[in-house]
Amino acid sequence: MAQPRSVARDHAGAPPDGVALRRALADIAHALHRAEEGIGSVLSLTAAEGAADGLLAALVGSPVAASFSVLRWPQSLLPPLGGPDDLDAVAISLLPLADAPPDEARRDIALAAERGGGDLAGEAVRGLLGLPSLHPLWLGLDGTQRAAFQVEGLTAALLDLCFERPILSVVENAQWTRGLTVPLLDALSNAVEDARLCLLAIRSPVPRNRPGGWVPPGTARRVVLPEPIGGPADVGSANENEDGNEDDPRPHAALLGDLRRDRRPGRIEWMAHHAPLAGDWALACASARHAGRRAETDCRPADAARHYMDALAALDRLPETRRHAQRRIDVWAALARTRPSPDGGAITAAEKALALAEDLGDRPRIARALSLLATLRWAGGDLTAARRTGLRALRLWRESQSPGQQVQMLIKLGRGLTEEGRFRHADSVLRAAAALATRGETCRLHGPTALAPVCIAAHRARCRAELGDPEEALRLARAALAQAEDDGHAASRALACLHLGWAALTAQRYAMAVEPLKQAVAITETIRLHACQPLVLGALGYALVRTGALNDGASLLLGSREHARMLGIRRHEPQILIWIAEAALLSGQTEDAVRNARDAAEKAVAAGQLGDEAWARLALARGLADQRNITAARQSLDTATRIAAHRSMAPLLGLCTDFRRSVTSA
């Protein structure tokens, strides 16, 4: 079957006048001269289609572009049926730059990505070009991480290749840019200033019905070709106007009939586009939801959110039935998954899904919405709300006898309780999760987190260490690491190494902590596991300080604090500040120790992390005692002792007892 064509007709329009064309060519020529000298830039050209074609023809044939490799990246309203899409098309476009036979060119492009972006960036481009994987960590990445490395790899390859010959990348119909091409262009525009690369984005001046597309940065030079005589080109037809309303939907209905018989995956997006134009709202809803799920799977959250919004619009045209109400709940939950967390409307969408599910009395959907809300609230640092929401969800999952869902919820609760410092309760919850989980079960949490058995054992190791059972803690952490290595899941290995090191630190076995923490740092840096990096760096820094490498350790500790603040990971800040305060005490920097310990205590109180507050109060008491402020030191020590006793934190309680003797004798 031939690829379906949209019924909207393309009208070229008249070319711009010669003066405007020469002015635009002069602007682009100036940018190319600078790019040839190593000062790249982004240009944003607004032009009707015919005018843009004429300008490109003149530009490519001009002497100023003769030394440039020209890459043309045409964007389209709908994905090509049967052809490469998004980053695959970009990767293929790079092959002529290698000036070699096809197989050798593929290897050369992948090597360029590896040189500029590292091993996994090279692996990502190898995959896009159809080459087999070589790096063992690549198989242990999840989809989101792979997508990030694909963007990074293509960016690195382009920046490496433009050393040999300057490159002009032309993004045609930038208003239709979708998928992972958007973050790729963002990455290139951020790096272009120091490269022999010119990025030319061409947009139509006519507003389109669908929002989105790539928007060049504010620093981009703007070039506008005037509209042709007679006004803007007519991009619509007699059957379609800019509001998407149809005077005659029959051509779309006929095209939908062809698409139903097509088996190529891209047909779903085509159906999602044409079904509302044909007035088939049931099909519009179904295909938009399907397209949204495909986009989620392919790690294209912006595309997924757009499709889900289209599904909601289609549901507005359908009769109010229980089944349609359930679909509306599911779509709002999907929107919560695809919007940035915790900001960007994710919590609002999840709360909408919950309210609709409660109105409908649909208990499974209430439980799913609560589970999603608990995850989002945990990610936002609201541990108390996350715990309450999670407990509600858990009760519903137990009533429905859903063991898989119970495992996920128990892990989320156990993780949150651990961060709150409720170690005994957390250990009990995690043991319940272990009893339900099966070996190899991949109960993923929010984002690239660990496999269920690894997550359970790792967090239990933290609990047992804080509760004064170091041997069991180390056994659990080693079991978690063995499971992670057996499954080959990179994020699981990082989590297990972190908790093995952390358990050793809590048991004051500092030398034992160094090696697993070094492994955790290496993995998180290699796979760009940003959520874990601050804590991992801080733990290694503290272990190094405790084993005598004061300067190296202090540098890592300060870097981890800045990294946590930059990423907005508030949950990790108190623990990192505690390690910094204790390192300052060891090096005699009493004032720094007091300031950081007090900051840690205040942040821990605000976040409801009482375990961290207790450790911070002990560090503060030590600093105050060094300053001869004995009264304040005893008050801080009393608080640390009270929390430690209440939360059964045996190692901390022992340290408080020992320190009290020294304060009393003073």
Side-chain angles (χ1 to χ4, degrees), residues 518 537-538 540-560 583:
K518 282 184 176 179
L537 288 170
L540 178 59
Y542 182 59
L544 291 175
V545 166
R546 281 292 192 173
T547 52
L550 293 176
N551 291 336
D552 290 345
S555 177
L556 282 176
L557 280 166
L558 295 176
S560 72

Side-chain angles (χ1 to χ4, degrees), residues 3 139 251 344 612 616:
Q3 177 164 306
L139 298 176
D612 287 339

Side-chain angles (χ1 to χ4, degrees), residues 594-631:
V594 169
R595 184 180 65 254
N596 283 293
R598 184 172 282 123
D599 192 14
E602 290 170 355
K603 284 182 165 60
V605 170
Q609 296 170 237
L610 287 185
D612 287 339
E613 184 197 353
W615 283 102
R617 296 294 183 191
L618 176 59
L620 179 58
R622 286 170 169 163
L624 291 168
D626 285 353
Q627 291 180 336
R628 313 309 300 168
N629 190 346
I630 302 302
T631 301

Side-chain angles (χ1 to χ4, degrees), residues 561 577-578 580-581 584 591-601:
R561 179 185 63 189
L577 289 167
I578 291 163
I580 291 173
E591 189 173 325
D592 285 348
V594 169
R595 184 180 65 254
N596 283 293
R598 184 172 282 123
D599 192 14

Side-chain angles (χ1 to χ4, degrees), residues 629-641:
N629 190 346
I630 302 302
T631 301
R634 286 174 177 165
Q635 290 173 347
S636 187
L637 178 60
D638 288 344
T639 302
T641 303

Side-chain angles (χ1 to χ4, degrees), residues 231-545:
D234 176 16
V235 298
S237 74
N239 294 324
E240 179 179 359
N241 62 32
E242 287 304 317
D243 295 326
N245 297 319
E246 291 300 302
D247 298 322
D248 183 358
R250 283 177 295 178
H252 296 284
L255 193 145
L256 282 172
D258 290 340
L259 288 168
R260 286 177 185 273
R261 293 187 292 273
D262 197 321
R263 297 270 66 88
R264 288 172 288 186
R267 80 188 191 284
I268 298 300
E269 283 79 3
W270 284 70
M271 292 172 73
H273 174 73
H274 287 285
L277 300 175
D280 190 336
W281 297 108
L283 181 59
C285 176
S287 53
R289 291 178 65 202
H290 192 167
R293 287 192 292 270
R294 272 173 44 84
E296 267 197 271
T297 302
D298 294 341
C299 303
R300 296 181 282 118
D303 287 354
R306 175 170 50 80
H307 288 304
Y308 290 138
M309 290 300 295
D310 289 345
L312 286 176
L315 282 167
D316 289 340
R317 303 289 193 114
L318 293 168
E320 290 291 339
T321 66
R322 182 176 178 84
R323 187 68 193 98
H324 288 158
Q326 290 173 330
R327 290 188 175 105
R328 190 180 297 277
I329 295 164
D330 295 342
V331 173
W332 276 110
L335 277 170
R337 293 194 304 269
T338 53
R339 289 178 172 174
S341 171
D343 300 318
I347 287 180
T348 301
E351 288 174 340
K352 179 72 172 177
L354 176 60
L356 291 172
E358 288 176 334
D359 288 344
L360 197 64
D362 190 319
R363 296 176 74 81
R365 284 178 170 80
I366 293 172
R368 281 197 289 271
L370 287 168
S371 300
L372 183 56
L373 260 179
T375 298
L376 293 170
R377 286 170 174 164
W378 172 82
D382 192 346
L383 299 179
T384 302
R387 170 165 43 85
R388 290 172 179 165
T389 306
L391 285 170
R392 284 185 62 197
L394 182 60
R395 283 193 292 270
L396 290 173
W397 291 129
R398 281 175 172 162
E399 289 173 9
S400 63
Q401 297 183 343
S402 304
Q405 296 289 351
Q406 287 183 60
V407 169
Q408 292 192 49
M409 200 66 254
L410 286 166
I411 292 173
K412 293 174 187 178
L413 280 170
R415 179 185 59 188
L417 288 165
T418 302
E419 292 187 354
E420 285 188 84
R422 301 172 181 269
F423 300 110
R424 195 167 294 285
H425 189 185
D427 188 46
S428 175
V429 166
L430 290 166
R431 278 191 284 110
L436 285 172
T438 58
R439 178 176 172 81
E441 187 172 1
T442 56
C443 293
R444 301 292 175 89
L445 307 177
H446 191 72
T449 43
L451 305 176
V454 176
C455 202
I456 292 166
H459 287 294
R460 279 204 68 207
R462 166 98 191 272
C463 294
R464 298 314 307 173
E466 295 281 4
L467 292 169
D469 191 355
E471 299 307 325
E472 177 65 3
L474 293 170
R475 186 195 68 78
L476 284 164
R478 290 183 181 118
L481 182 55
Q483 175 77 66
E485 289 176 339
D486 186 48
D487 288 335
H489 187 241
S492 296
R493 287 177 58 195
L495 185 76
C497 286
L498 167 62
H499 281 77
L500 178 54
W502 204 344
L505 290 178
T506 306
Q508 300 182 52
R509 302 180 188 183
Y510 303 116
M512 182 188 293
V514 172
E515 190 54 39
L517 290 173
K518 282 184 176 179
Q519 291 182 42
V521 168
I523 296 169
T524 55
E525 287 182 349
T526 302
I527 68 174
R528 310 291 196 272
L529 191 58
H530 300 299
C532 277
Q533 277 183 309
L535 199 57
V536 166
L537 288 170
L540 178 59
Y542 182 59
L544 291 175
V545 166

